[in-house]
Amino acid sequence: MNSKTKQALLHISSVLMLLIAMPMFLWCLQLIDNAALDYAYAGAGCFAAGITYIFSMVTAIAGLAFAGKPHRYRWCRILAYIQLASGGILFVPLLSYAVLILPPLFLLTLLYLFGVGWRERCDFEQQ
């Protein structure tokens, strides 16, 4: 992909992350009571998923702030990888609630990573 397409994808995924994060956070908080009745740690998992959605707002703001500055994409990648790792860890306490809560987080984070690039290129690869 060329840099304009990646930059547009970064903008779109960051804006969508910002728009989705707050409603999903509130929905995760509403699910805590029901989830705690179903599984032992699902209530805590719903709370942690809500916090992960709040962290996705930080990731999205970094993406919007650093869009067009490829030398700063390393910070965006680090935040996105932390977000993916925390979402992956949340599969254990959430169990079946993970199917309801985590798909928007993973989808938008993957789009975000396509926008900033999956890995940092070395100097000899950029030439």
Side-chain angles (χ1 to χ4, degrees):
M1 271 193 278
N2 61 15
S3 64
K4 293 289 184 187
T5 307
K6 282 186 172 185
Q7 190 174 358
L9 186 60
L10 179 61
H11 277 289
I12 291 169
S13 63
S14 296
V15 168
L16 284 176
M17 255 192 230
L18 281 174
L19 292 175
I20 297 287
M22 191 53 71
M24 287 301 291
F25 169 69
L26 294 174
W27 189 51
C28 288
L29 290 182
Q30 289 177 352
L31 282 177
I32 289 174
D33 290 334
N34 293 335
L37 295 174
D38 290 341
Y39 302 109
Y41 295 105
C46 285
F47 180 74
I51 298 302
T52 305
Y53 274 107
I54 294 299
F55 182 77
S56 75
M57 292 175 74
V58 174
T59 306
I61 291 169
L64 290 173
F66 295 145
K69 301 174 187 172
H71 62 283
R72 301 283 183 164
Y73 283 174
R74 181 174 54 112
W75 292 104
C76 296
R77 270 191 296 276
I78 290 170
L79 292 173
Y81 288 140
I82 291 170
Q83 189 170 316
L84 277 179
S86 65
I89 291 170
L90 285 174
F91 272 108
V92 175
L94 285 173
L95 297 174
S96 63
Y97 283 96
V99 176
L100 297 172
I101 296 173
L102 295 178
L105 181 75
F106 284 129
L107 178 68
L108 292 174
T109 305
L110 291 176
L111 287 175
Y112 184 87
L113 279 171
F114 277 115
V116 295
W118 284 89
R119 63 181 179 91
E120 192 171 359
R121 289 185 175 81
C122 298
D123 289 335
F124 65 87
E125 290 179 2
Q126 291 177 353
Q127 295 176 355

